[in-house]
């Protein structure tokens, strides 16, 4: 029975389960994120979005076509990082819960829906990309909106809406449209066939192409370039013949191995188990309903295909955080297999159900542990900000942020990560001597002397505050 033919009573009967799935997914996600909820980690290139500074993001419109995110930077209201984080994670939980509801439909118990949603939400790649939550709030909001509409509108309507939502989400993050495709392909009430699948894929590809043309056009009108040039920092090695394309293709294998390693939280047996379970789920689900498995595998293949084409063409090694769509669809297959095996009762039901429960608990624990990686950096910078205190005097930071072991643990990539963090916490203008040595030329000589590794000193002068760090780089082996 299609969504369009449901009676009002049938729709209302689904509301409690739907609402419970969203609430339980969101609460489980926040519980797993631990201290990140109170003081979430912000990457250095995410601070412009947090502080609503469009100048810090403008170049990404040219090099990445992220026009939706740029519009978000133009807002006049600046909200605290924890609020943005809660909003972002809510949108993510809504997507995961809606995917579970549309996938299982009337089948599956509430705990099946919540387990599916939580496993999607707790994917390691999702944790990685959430570190740019300030920038990605509008894009994830669009994904969540499409997901919610998928539970309210007919299949035909949602497919037509791809023409609107794919271009919009593409201008927020390149792989966001693949989450929309996953919702279409995993939908429970679908008359599956080769013709139908081909139609969905053609519509998606057309919508994706429309989004690319729109980004090209916006770049032409704003930057005078019809297209999206490669940013210099990406060090692209464009394929110009078969040999160079083959050389670039070698990075695909590296990407796949690293993806498997990350999705297993670095535990190789877990990674191997997921690969084997993907095959097993495809076989078990496909034996009963071949097209159900084919649809989901087509979504994974299409998404990875886009990534591989980009890799072969440009030689750019895309980060593992882009593969969240593949993890989501794998979890869909896994849950469908568990439900199918549970129908047999007895040992099959107990083992498959316990497997799903184990993964949910393991990934809640793994996410909690990974979130703790940033706790040391967050605490140390809060203490530095407290020592700096309130005021309007500028803050000068001498030495290097790399002298702080917590910076290595949190994978801080640039000194502006420290500068932006202190700017946000203190509201002051912060100048790092690493970035602008000329601005530190007039500082007292004794303030420029080296400190023992790891030490921090804060000095309050008449017209400035100086934060002294060591000039030596800390090592994770120390």
């Amino acid at each position: 029975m299609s969504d369009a033919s449901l009676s009002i009573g049938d729709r209302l009967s689904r509301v409690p389960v739907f609402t419970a799935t969203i609430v339980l997914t969101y609460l489980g996600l926040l519980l797993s994120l631990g201290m990140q909820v109170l003081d979430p980690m912000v990457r250095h290139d995410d601070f412009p979005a947090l502080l609503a500074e469009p100048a810090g993001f403008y170049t990404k419109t040219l090099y990445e076509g992220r026009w939706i995110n740029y519009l978000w930077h133009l807002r006049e209201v600046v909200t605290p990082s924890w609020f943005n984080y809660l909003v972002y994670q809510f949108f993510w939980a809504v997507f995961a819960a809606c995917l579970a509801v549309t996938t299982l439909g009337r089948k599956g118990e509430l705990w099946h829906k919540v387990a599916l949603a939580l496993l999607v939400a707790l994917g390691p790649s999702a944790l990685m990309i959430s570190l740019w939550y300030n920038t990605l709030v509008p894009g994830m909001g669009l994904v969540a909106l499409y997901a919610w509409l998928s539970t309210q509108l007919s299949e035909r309507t949602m497919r037509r809406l791809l023409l609107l939502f794919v271009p919009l989400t593409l201008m927020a993050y390149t792989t966001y449209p693949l989450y929309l495709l996953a919702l279409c392909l995993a939908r429970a009430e679908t008359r599956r066939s080769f013709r139908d699948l081909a139609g969905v894929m053609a519509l998606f590809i057309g919508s994706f192409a429309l989004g690319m043309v729109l980004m090209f056009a916006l770049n032409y009108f704003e930057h005078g370039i019809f297209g999206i040039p490669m940013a210099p920092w990406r060090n692209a090695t464009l394929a110009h013949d078969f040999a160079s394309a083959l050389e670039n293709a070698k990075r695909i294998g590296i990407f796949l191995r690293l993806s498997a390693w990350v999705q297993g939280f670095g535990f190789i047996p877990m990674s191997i188990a997921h690969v084997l379970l993907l095959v097993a789920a495809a076989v078990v689900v496909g034996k009963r309903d071949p097209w159900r498995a084919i649809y989901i595998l087509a979504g994974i293949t299409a998404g990875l295909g886009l990534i591989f084409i980009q890799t072969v063409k440009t030689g750019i090694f895309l980060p593992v955080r882009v593969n969240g769509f593949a993890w989501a669809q794998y979890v869909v297959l896994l849950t469908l297999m568990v439900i199918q095996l549970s129908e047999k009762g007895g040992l099959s039901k107990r083992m498959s159900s316990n497997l799903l429960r184990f993964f949910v608990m393991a990934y809640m624990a793994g996410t909690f542990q990974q979130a703790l990686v940033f706790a040391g950096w967050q605490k140390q910078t809060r203490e530095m900000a407290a020592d700096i205190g309130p005021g309007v005097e500028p803050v000068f930071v001498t030495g290097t942020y790399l002298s702080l072991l917590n910076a290595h643990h949190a994978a801080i990539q640039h000194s502006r990560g420290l500068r932006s963090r202190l700017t946000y916490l203190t509201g002051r203008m912060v100048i790092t001597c690493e970035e602008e040595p000329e601005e530190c030329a007039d500082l007292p000589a004794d303030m420029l002397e080296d400190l023992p590794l790891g030490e921090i000193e804060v000095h309050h002068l008449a017209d400035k505050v100086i934060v002294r760090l060591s000039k030596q780089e800390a090592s994770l082996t120390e």
Side-chain angles (χ1 to χ4, degrees), residues 109-373:
E109 302 172 16
L110 173 61
W111 85 265
H112 286 137
K113 293 181 172 67
V114 174
L116 193 162
L118 273 176
L119 270 184
V120 169
L122 295 170
S125 53
L127 176 62
M128 295 171 68
I129 199 173
S130 70
L131 297 176
W132 286 267
Y133 61 92
N134 294 289
T135 300
L136 296 175
V137 160
M140 186 52 69
L142 288 169
V143 171
L145 176 59
Y146 185 89
W148 177 76
L149 289 174
S150 294
T151 67
Q152 307 299 312
L153 303 177
S154 68
E155 177 183 73
R156 177 176 294 183
T157 300
M158 293 315 302
R159 291 184 177 183
R160 290 174 177 173
L161 284 175
L162 287 175
L163 289 168
L164 172 64
F165 278 86
V166 167
L168 290 177
T169 54
L170 182 61
M171 289 189 289
Y173 193 71
T174 309
T175 57
Y176 274 0
L178 296 171
Y179 291 104
L180 312 187
L181 179 62
L183 284 160
C184 291
L185 296 177
R187 196 176 182 111
E189 291 113 1
T190 298
R191 292 185 177 180
R192 302 177 187 86
S193 66
F194 175 79
R195 182 177 180 179
D196 181 72
L197 177 59
V200 175
M201 298 304 294
L203 181 58
F204 175 78
I205 293 172
S207 302
F208 199 93
L210 177 62
M212 294 296 295
V213 171
L214 182 57
M215 288 192 296
F216 288 2
L218 289 171
N219 273 3
Y220 179 76
F221 287 117
E222 179 66 21
H223 302 291
I225 298 176
F226 186 77
I228 301 179
M230 286 294 159
W233 63 268
R234 290 190 179 275
N235 298 317
T237 54
L238 300 179
H240 52 83
D241 54 25
F242 180 75
S244 58
L246 190 61
E247 185 64 27
N248 287 346
K250 294 179 181 179
R251 301 188 179 189
I252 294 176
I254 300 174
F255 173 83
L256 290 174
R257 290 194 298 272
L258 185 58
S259 294
W261 186 81
V262 168
Q263 298 295 11
F265 280 119
F267 185 53
I268 295 177
M270 182 78 82
S271 300
I272 295 174
H274 285 312
V275 173
L276 295 177
L277 284 170
L278 172 60
V279 175
V283 171
V284 171
V285 175
K287 187 175 181 180
R288 172 181 293 185
D289 188 348
W291 282 111
R292 190 84 201 261
I294 290 172
Y295 269 52
I296 298 171
L297 292 175
I300 297 175
T301 302
L304 292 178
L306 287 174
I307 293 174
F308 296 164
I309 290 173
Q310 178 79 340
T311 301
V312 172
K313 179 182 176 181
T314 65
I316 293 175
F317 185 83
L318 295 177
V320 173
R321 59 179 177 267
V322 304
N323 67 16
F325 67 91
W327 171 264
Q329 292 173 97
Y330 156 66
V331 171
V332 165
L333 264 181
L334 177 66
T335 308
L336 289 173
M337 180 184 71
V338 168
I339 293 175
Q340 190 170 317
L341 293 176
S342 296
E343 293 173 358
K344 297 181 179 181
L347 184 61
S348 294
K349 180 177 181 179
R350 289 195 298 272
M351 290 188 64
S352 59
S353 297
N354 287 337
L355 176 68
L356 191 58
R357 293 187 181 98
F358 165 76
F359 278 139
V360 170
M361 291 186 292
Y363 276 76
M364 289 185 71
T367 299
F368 188 88
Q369 184 179 23
Q370 289 296 309
L372 289 177
V373 169

